[in-house]
Amino acid sequence: MELRNTEANSSVFRNLDWTTIVIYLLLVAAGAVSIYAASYDFDNASIFDFSEFSGKQLRWIGLSLIIGFVILLLDYRIYEAYAYPIYGVVILILIATVFLSPNIKGSHSWLVFGPVSLQPAEFGKFATSLALAKLFDSYNFSLNAKAGNYLKALLIILLPICIILCQKETGSALVYLALFFVLYREGMSGFVLGGVFLAVVYFVMAVKYMNPFLMGLSLGEFTVFCLICFLFCLLLVFYCKDFFIARNVILGMLASGVVATVLVLCGVSVNGLLFFLCVLGAAVVYTSLAMLRHHIRKFVIAIGFVLVSVGFLFSVNYVFDRILQPHQQTRILVLLGIEEDLRGVGYNVNQSKIAIGSGGLEGKGFLNGTQTKLKYVPEQHTDFIFCTIGEEQGFIGSSLVLLAFLTLILRLIYIAERQKAPFARVYCYCVVSMLIFHVCINVGMVIGLCPVIGIPLPFFSYGGSSLWGFTILLFILLRLDAARKEQRV
């Protein structure tokens, strides 16, 4: 038995993807140095001072390496066999966190054990990934086989999101939305991702261009209605491929637009909302009647697009005014350039951009960043760690860090594609999706392209929960990949 275990362990380490491990170690080491630079104290310059953030991070790194080593020693079949129980236990812990955690900066997402605080949402990522992979590995499972399969996948993803939202930790909850890219990889229609993208466009347009008004509508609402009309015509032409119906709808819309323009130029007041509803309503009714002798399914999708788009546009103001918290509204308005709040919500991002911009091409040099050393940037050792890299290492250093992440992501995609079993492949893509989401949102947040939602930069931001969570995600992937030759197809 001991000989068999020894041979199995040696086989694991022989088949490990060492390229990924090297990149992981480089990122973790760079993260430790960046935390030291961000929290540098002129009175105590030792990186090994365990009372400082840099020293504490070294302990988290040491424990992470132990966790990763233990994961590699375990039988790879454990992760598949116990995927659902692990998911269930983590869900219970997330629910308990809502009631047991103290109020920290308005959220109830941390469990405190003496001097140690852990965020269960970070560990929910690997548990949710395992459960989703287990679902796709079920016998004869296909996402498009029946609607119930979609509901099962959505339940696994949305359950932790809802619980984490109850913890008032919006940023951590949004990370789980990255798993929808996995569903797309496994057969989900591209219309879903396209719809999500359009929803973001509708929301931004409606909020950013609240003024001026045109035909009783804000410029943003007027533009979105025009976009809906245009996209509906495109669907009829290129998706439904019925040029007769498309031609009549396009001519009808153009004629209506000409009439409305003439009336406005003649000084006649035209209600824009009523105009667009009548135009789109007439187009939908005409298409509904004409489609009875054609491919009904495609026309239903086109009509559904119009109805959902209009409904979503009507909901934007309600969501923005009633659902979003005041600080969330302000962050969006600052991000879109509608408001400036350099002393409040916009302070962090403004100081971060100043720090990164002052780094120039080559940076000011290690430990020479004035913005970070004088603590102008809040949370510069956690969510805003990238600004320390930008100031001290400049554009070149920042680019190298992003290049390292890109290399890791491409390597993980390569690993995912060479898996034989659906379980391993889906799990690998879950890890890739979450890693991409974290890197893009965090860097975008620091340079002012995304709203500040408190998402850490993997392997760089200070904290044990984030580092442990990504270490577990990555090393389970490596363990599954090391056993790919033994996996059932």
Side-chain angles (χ1 to χ4, degrees):
M1 179 65 71
E2 292 182 1
L3 179 61
R4 186 184 306 170
N5 290 337
T6 303
E7 292 177 353
N9 292 335
S10 63
S11 175
V12 169
F13 290 100
R14 185 168 58 251
N15 294 325
L16 271 180
D17 190 85
W18 289 99
T19 301
T20 302
I21 292 181
V22 169
I23 298 173
Y24 164 80
L25 293 175
L26 289 175
L27 288 173
V28 169
V33 173
S34 299
I35 292 172
Y36 173 65
S39 58
Y40 180 76
D41 188 349
F42 292 100
D43 297 326
N44 189 352
S46 175
I47 193 174
F48 298 104
D49 185 351
F50 294 106
S51 64
E52 299 292 333
F53 291 121
S54 56
K56 294 177 182 178
Q57 187 69 6
L58 290 178
R59 288 191 296 192
W60 298 130
I61 292 173
L63 291 172
S64 295
L65 295 177
I66 294 174
I67 291 172
F69 182 73
V70 171
I71 289 173
L72 295 178
L73 292 180
L74 295 176
D75 191 322
Y76 75 94
R77 289 180 285 262
I78 289 177
Y79 305 114
E80 182 177 358
Y82 294 98
Y84 288 148
I86 291 173
Y87 178 78
V89 169
V90 172
I91 289 296
L92 291 177
I93 294 175
L94 288 173
I95 295 174
T97 303
V98 178
F99 303 99
L100 300 179
S101 64
N103 188 328
I104 301 177
K105 296 182 179 180
S107 70
H108 295 266
S109 58
W110 294 84
L111 291 178
V112 180
F113 304 96
V116 179
S117 298
L118 294 176
Q119 190 175 23
E122 294 293 335
F123 304 102
K125 296 171 186 175
F126 86 88
T128 305
S129 300
L130 286 175
L132 196 61
K134 178 69 173 179
L135 175 66
F136 278 91
D137 196 50
S138 303
Y139 177 73
N140 210 24
F141 182 88
S142 175
L143 192 62
N144 296 312
K146 53 183 179 180
N149 291 343
Y150 271 102
L151 294 177
K152 293 175 183 177
L154 290 176
L155 178 63
I156 290 175
I157 297 173
L158 295 179
L159 182 57
I161 291 177
C162 294
I163 299 173
I164 295 171
L165 286 175
C166 292
Q167 300 173 1
K168 297 183 178 179
E169 189 64 33
T170 308
S172 298
L174 290 176
V175 173
Y176 289 79
L177 295 178
L179 295 177
F180 279 92
F181 289 104
V182 181
L183 301 186
Y184 175 70
R185 167 61 180 80
E186 295 301 317
M188 184 179 71
S189 172
F191 278 109
V192 178
L193 290 182
V196 173
F197 173 76
L198 284 177
V200 175
V201 172
Y202 293 166
F203 184 87
V204 171
M205 293 293 294
V207 173
K208 183 174 179 60
Y209 300 105
M210 294 181 178
N211 291 297
F213 282 82
L214 187 62
M215 294 171 57
L217 294 172
S218 69
L219 179 60
E221 293 172 334
F222 185 88
T223 305
V224 171
F225 269 120
C226 291
L227 182 60
I228 294 172
C229 294
F230 175 72
L231 292 174
F232 181 60
C233 293
L234 287 183
L235 284 174
L236 292 178
V237 174
F238 295 104
Y239 181 65
C240 300
K241 295 182 179 179
D242 193 307
F243 301 105
F244 176 77
I245 296 178
R247 182 199 65 187
N248 292 343
V249 170
I250 293 172
L251 290 176
M253 288 184 174
L254 289 176
S256 301
V258 171
V259 171
T261 303
V262 171
L263 290 175
V264 171
L265 292 177
C266 293
V268 179
S269 177
V270 178
N271 187 303
L273 178 60
L274 182 61
F275 167 76
F276 279 110
L277 289 180
C278 289
V279 170
L280 287 171
V284 167
V285 171
Y286 169 76
T287 305
S288 301
L289 296 174
M291 77 179 184
L292 296 179
R293 63 181 189 275
H294 298 277
H295 302 290
I296 295 179
R297 178 179 175 275
K298 292 186 176 181
F299 285 99
V300 168
I301 291 177
I303 294 171
F305 161 76
V306 172
L307 298 178
V308 172
S309 295
V310 173
F312 180 84
L313 180 59
F314 282 143
S315 70
V316 169
N317 289 333
Y318 176 81
V319 171
F320 188 80
D321 295 332
R322 302 290 183 87
I323 303 298
L324 296 181
Q325 299 296 319
H327 69 278
Q328 294 172 327
Q329 296 176 10
T330 306
R331 285 176 179 176
I332 293 174
L333 294 176
V334 170
L335 176 67
L336 297 178
I338 301 173
E339 292 183 4
E340 285 191 4
D341 188 14
L342 300 183
R343 294 182 179 274
V345 172
Y347 177 80
N348 287 23
V349 175
N350 185 57
Q351 292 299 325
S352 176
K353 290 193 290 187
I354 291 173
I356 294 175
S358 66
L361 179 64
E362 299 179 353
K364 297 178 179 178
F366 184 57
L367 301 181
N368 291 326
T370 54
Q371 292 292 120
T372 51
K373 295 301 162 290
L374 298 176
K375 313 299 182 186
Y376 282 111
V377 184
E379 310 297 336
Q380 60 189 20
H381 61 290
T382 54
D383 297 341
F384 285 81
I385 188 71
F386 191 75
C387 73
T388 302
I389 301 169
E391 183 180 24
E392 296 191 350
Q393 309 307 323
F395 177 80
I396 295 176
S398 302
S399 298
L400 289 176
V401 170
L402 295 178
L403 183 62
F405 275 115
L406 177 61
T407 304
L408 176 61
I409 289 168
L410 293 177
R411 186 66 185 179
L412 295 183
I413 293 175
Y414 169 75
I415 291 174
E417 287 298 326
R418 73 183 182 188
Q419 301 306 307
K420 298 179 180 179
F423 179 84
R425 183 185 68 249
V426 172
Y427 179 82
C428 289
Y429 272 108
C430 288
V431 178
V432 171
S433 299
M434 289 191 173
L435 184 61
I436 293 174
F437 190 91
H438 264 269
V439 174
C440 291
I441 297 300
N442 180 272
V443 175
M445 182 179 73
V446 171
I447 62 178
L449 294 180
C450 298
V452 179
I453 54 177
I455 290 181
L457 185 63
F459 313 121
F460 275 80
S461 295
Y462 170 79
S465 296
S466 175
L467 181 59
W468 287 3
F470 273 102
T471 298
I472 294 172
L473 273 169
L474 188 61
F475 275 79
I476 291 178
L477 180 153
L478 291 170
R479 182 63 185 91
L480 293 174
D481 177 63
R484 64 185 180 278
K485 296 180 181 178
E486 307 171 35
Q487 297 169 1
R488 60 178 178 82
V489 181

